[in-house]
Amino acid sequence: MPSVFLKTYGCQMNERDSEAVAAQLVAKGYALAPSEAVADVVLLNTCSVRDNAEQKAIDKMTNLAGQFRKQRPGVVLGFLGCMAQSRGKELIDQLPDVDLVVGTQKFHRVADYVDDLLAGRRDQVVDTDEERGSEATIKKHLLNGAAHGKAVSAFVSIMQGCNQYCTFCIVPYTRGQERSRTIPDIVAECRELVARGVREVMLLGQIVTSYGRRAERPAPSVDGQGPSTLDPRPSTSAFVQLIEAVHAIEGLERIRFTSPHPKGYGDDLVAAYGRLPKLVESAHLPVQSGSDRILKLMHRGYTRARYLDIITKLRAVRPEMGITTDIIVGFPGETEADFAETLSLVREVEFDNAFVFKYSPRRDTPAAAMPDQLPEEVIEARHAQLLATVNEIAERKNKACEGRMLEILVEGPSRKNPARLEGRTRTNKIVVFEGSDRHIGQVMNVRIVHAAPFTLYGDPAILNLN
Ligand code: SAH
Ligand code: F3S
């Protein structure tokens, strides 16, 4: 059978989409190629969030096309996902060797299109149409294809799209309107994962705090399951109802989710951390800026005070809460005073870690047309300064773990050193330690003996009795 190599750019949603595409291809009999050099099909699942993510994928495809044109002209080349959605046929005009362009609502069609192209039934395929019910098509998993054989943690896509339209963000255009899967559909997927050995699920969406908000009349899912069964409990959001339903699955140990939005972060979600023990004390809550003026220009829908209030409430419920965030520096019109507000927010919250991004103008977004786009040097300097602050705090917080016993879920061989194992604390920190295969998938306590800037090192598990 032909083999496929799939490379993924961007976020966890993209990783999940790639896994579902790979599972689809494997189910049809395709093999997964260990590298692009030996593959019959090479697919790049793309990201559009910043210009450099798009450039990376375009450069990669340019190289592949040049390499294969002479030696192996039969290789099928394809772009999938966000950049495929936003640029469509333009990609083939720019790179005529590309055979396939598949947008974000058509991942479930990829295997059929690849079949057609390999069999010569079609020359080129561009499919970036919208499809009702497509949010429920990302459900097949390829667990045993995971690098270390046994997948302990799995991503589950609960919704697609975003209606928030932050002025810098291309996602509402590449991922479309918010559409949520039904609770029974998601629970069935999680149950199956647990039956296959998964111990932790990460519920994924661009704005999970909006889950089910637009689901008064959800589209019938593709497999014919009915609409969701939401309780009419006005004080409990659909998202918290979903977490409760997943929490009830026997054998599941941990639940995580990403990303919530501060605007929709209700007290019911804060309270869920207090009463649902499988919901681990870890929160990724994008803040973007510490300046109210910039937050408003970004159309974020909250203030600095509201953001800090959520953090305070979360820490009141779970003092150990690991908190991470996303921040953009150099948004149009950001002054030194605005930037100082971001620095002070970072110092005040003391994030366990933060992703700091340089603002990148995206096509058709309102911010790209705003006055006062900042010079590259200013953005660079603020980026470096903020990153140094973030890292200093992150290292200090890691150091504070030295000597402590922490509960970890063992995921498999360490990515840095495959002779060791790696697990994750409830607060989402990686712990590397010596153990044996039988520890994989176990929840265990490990004493932290050393904290490096981004990794914790634990006592050998061999010494523990469990
Ligand atoms: N709600 C999504 C956000 C997707 S984009 C989520 O699940 O996290 C991820 C992050 O990229 C955003 O939080 C933001 O910090 C950053 N980002 C988005 N658009 C950007 C742009 N135009 N320039 C720089 N960073 C951007
Ligand atoms: Fe993008 Fe804002 Fe939605 S960052 S994904 S438009 S919440």
Side-chain angles (χ1 to χ4, degrees), residues 92-163:
I92 290 191
D93 297 341
Q94 191 183 343
L95 286 161
D97 291 308
V98 170
D99 309 284
L100 182 65
V101 176
V102 179
T104 53
Q105 306 205 16
K106 297 290 182 175
F107 287 113
H108 58 293
R109 302 279 297 138
V110 170
D112 289 343
Y113 290 148
V114 168
D115 274 353
D116 286 353
L117 290 163
L118 283 172
R121 285 189 292 272
R122 300 221 221 178
D123 276 346
Q124 276 177 333
V125 179
V126 177
D127 189 354
T128 55
D129 290 347
E130 291 182 6
E131 183 171 323
R132 204 171 140 79
S134 62
E135 66 279 5
T137 58
I138 301 172
K139 52 168 63 161
K140 294 275 175 285
H141 288 261
L142 189 78
L143 298 178
N144 49 12
H148 25 266
K150 189 164 132 188
V152 172
S153 183
F155 290 156
V156 173
S157 166
I158 65 166
M159 64 186 297
Q160 287 289 320
C162 182
N163 288 23

Side-chain angles (χ1 to χ4, degrees), residues 13 49-50 168-169 171 205-207 258-259 286 288 326-328 357-360 362:
M13 276 68 73
V49 145
R50 283 169 297 277
F168 53 80
C169 186
V171 170
Q206 297 293 346
I207 180 159
T258 201
S259 293
Q288 313 301 358
D326 292 345
I327 303 169
I328 296 177
F357 301 111
K358 293 179 226 168
Y359 170 71
S360 166
R362 308 313 296 134

Side-chain angles (χ1 to χ4, degrees), residues 12 15 147-148 153 155 200 409-424 428-433 454-455 457:
Q12 289 146 317
E15 279 180 44
H148 25 266
S153 183
F155 290 156
E200 171 184 278
L409 171 63
V410 185
E411 294 184 358
S414 158
R415 272 162 280 190
K416 284 191 188 158
N417 174 1
R420 293 188 169 190
L421 291 182
E422 125 182 342
R424 230 171 256 267
N428 211 23
K429 294 185 194 294
I430 291 177
V431 179
V432 174
F433 67 105
F454 301 103
T455 311
Y457 292 87

Side-chain angles (χ1 to χ4, degrees), residues 9-25:
Y9 299 84
C11 65
Q12 289 146 317
M13 276 68 73
N14 287 12
E15 279 180 44
R16 174 68 194 106
D17 297 337
S18 291
E19 189 203 3
V21 169
Q24 210 185 94
L25 287 157

Side-chain angles (χ1 to χ4, degrees), residues 353-365:
N353 207 348
F355 298 98
V356 182
F357 301 111
K358 293 179 226 168
Y359 170 71
S360 166
R362 308 313 296 134
R363 63 160 70 178
D364 300 333
T365 58

